[in-house]
Amino acid sequence: MKIDNYSLPNLKTAQKRTKDETMIERSLFDIPEEYKHLGLNKTYYLRTYGCQANERDSETIRGMAEMMGYLPVQSPEGADLIIMNTCAIRQNAEDRVFGELGQLKRLKYENPDLIFVVCGCMTQEEEVVARILKTYDHIDVVFGTHNLHRFPDLLVQAHFNKERVIEVYSKEGEIYENLPVIRNMKSKAWVNIMYGCDKFCTYCIVPYTRGKERSRLKEDILNEVRILAEEGYQEVTLLGQNVNAYGKDVYSDYDFSCLLKEVAKTGLPRIRFMTSHPWDFTDEMIDTMAENPNIMPFIHLPMQSGNTEILKIMGRRYTPQEYLSVYNKLKERIKGIAFSTDIIVGFPNETEQQFQDTLDMMDLCQFDNAYTFIYSPRSGTPASKMEDNIPLDVKRERLQRLNKKVGFYALKNNQKWIGQIVPVLVDGPSKKNPDVYSGYTDTNKLVNFTADQVQSGQIVQVEITAAKTWTLNGKQLVV
Ligand code: SAM
Ligand code: SF4
């Protein structure tokens, strides 16, 4: 919908799915010469909320901002351009963003030339854009997830016309292979293998904010991974809302396990992927993980609930038994594999007994880590039409009981590593103590360790000396 010069989102349109082929844009991405100096002697501050998809989008935003001459700064104070890349997954994520937007308004009074940009999943919601239009008049540019490639044009428009620019398309989405990127890390990289989601879990806003499931072509992914390997990257994480669905929209005989095999062949030391939906997890994927030592023995396998009825009304398409079957196969085939999961508590109508089923599943699976959330109704989703009938204090109390269990098993799992020697990919000196380094094991555990002169990006052997709930301590093994 277009009002004046505003292109506004619509969740109903965003929900539509057709069989139309996905457009892939490959033309050279460039910015007109005269605008390449727009940011000269100016700075930008970029804040990213939410998941890895947003982190990766922010790397593209950085690429585009720096093509225009802007330089990055770590604080919004004094920046000439502020960009907020937002997350819509839960109401508290949105409240945080609105809180920040309100707080940062004063910067616009101090510097009227400041350009303030809001983008990401929140802007795909009509209610959010309406609220920005009504209450946040210091926001100059609003663009959606399907308008990422339009960022430089929108910035130019806001800058020269001194007008507010709102451009949010609600559509299935395209693939842009031509966008610049400045990666946040030198040894670990995110690689999108697909965009969007067609699962439509009843509570989730992602299929509306990110469009349809659309896979990048395998050649494009493999090229990107090979280049990263040549540049010395040590770890690549293949990204998608449900990577198991990779390829289904473009190939009849090439699926995620085929891609994973080929990515493993590039010889990159560490390959990870996220997220996998338990529903279409194939045996070939498990075999591929088991047969390739550079695919890391760690999996994030969201369970959401341990109760059959709740899983059904969540639209998750598996039962707790089917979840367990995938879990057990992974555990049997991949030595030492670590698991993390996502759990939602307080879904509409969840009874104490149904919540107890989730706790029982936690006892069975003994996850290394779990991200736990209180159910948050998202406008436009099927679940938001159900009565949100679990009182907040009950939800909070369930979350507390759940988190206690999560912490218990996290510590129990970490304690098993004491005395063992594990490979750690070094991130760098620890934030709290520069004499201590930090990095991740192949099983995705954060280790703080003492060492002599290690460089970030190195994989070193570390002896684990102590275990805490969320981290391990260790010392580098000198041979
Ligand atoms: N695609 C991934 C999957 O299905 O596992 C995860 C996507 S989402 C960014 C991450 C997690 O947020 C979900 O696994 C779910 O636990 C949680 N989540 C999504 N919608 C939610 C809602 N309305 N309320 C509470 N938690 C939610
Ligand atoms: Fe949301 Fe479900 Fe898609 Fe994950 S699989 S992004 S939870 S709809």
Side-chain angles (χ1 to χ4, degrees), residues 239-302:
L239 286 184
Q241 290 300 340
N242 172 21
V243 293
N244 308 15
Y246 174 76
K248 287 183 180 174
D249 54 324
V250 274
Y251 303 114
S252 57
D253 55 356
Y254 191 93
D255 63 8
F256 182 57
S257 65
C258 303
L259 180 72
L260 206 49
K261 267 182 215 137
E262 286 203 82
V263 171
K265 273 195 215 138
T266 62
L268 246 153
R270 289 184 166 204
I271 296 152
R272 302 185 187 276
F273 54 88
M274 72 185 309
T275 300
S276 274
H277 192 298
W279 177 60
D280 46 0
F281 211 111
T282 63
D283 289 350
E284 288 74 32
M285 278 168 55
I286 300 175
D287 291 342
T288 307
M289 287 180 78
E291 286 157 14
N292 291 279
N294 56 346
I295 301 175
M296 295 296 96
F298 165 77
I299 188 137
H300 182 62
L301 194 63

Side-chain angles (χ1 to χ4, degrees), residues 278 298-306 318 320 323-324 326-328 330-331 337-343 357-372 402-414 416-417 443 445 469-470:
F298 165 77
I299 188 137
H300 182 62
L301 194 63
M303 180 167 76
Q304 313 297 1
S305 163
Y318 54 84
Y323 182 94
L324 271 180
V326 176
Y327 171 93
N328 286 328
L330 281 159
K331 197 138 185 141
I337 188 169
F339 290 84
S340 67
T341 196
D342 290 346
I343 306 281
D357 289 346
T358 299
L359 292 182
D360 292 347
M361 278 292 276
M362 299 303 285
D363 288 331
L364 281 175
C365 297
Q366 308 201 359
F367 295 104
D368 292 77
N369 197 358
Y371 302 89
T372 57
L402 177 64
N403 284 345
K404 212 167 147 197
K405 240 184 220 310
V406 174
F408 174 80
Y409 287 117
L411 181 61
K412 186 174 167 204
N413 282 311
N414 276 353
K416 288 186 207 149
W417 291 98
T443 52
K445 289 180 183 292
T469 304
W470 308 119

Side-chain angles (χ1 to χ4, degrees), residues 14 24 44 62 64 68 84 88 109 114 167 174 222 257 262 288 316 349 366 376 394 416 430 456 465-466 475:
I24 304 179
Y44 76 97
R62 282 187 66 189
M64 292 188 281
M68 300 176 92
M84 309 287 252
Y109 293 128
L114 163 70
E167 191 183 279
E174 291 124 3
L222 291 167
S257 65
E262 286 203 82
T288 307
R316 288 292 288 182
N349 300 322
Q366 308 201 359
S376 167
V394 175
K416 288 186 207 149
S430 134
S456 52
T465 52
K475 58 174 191 245

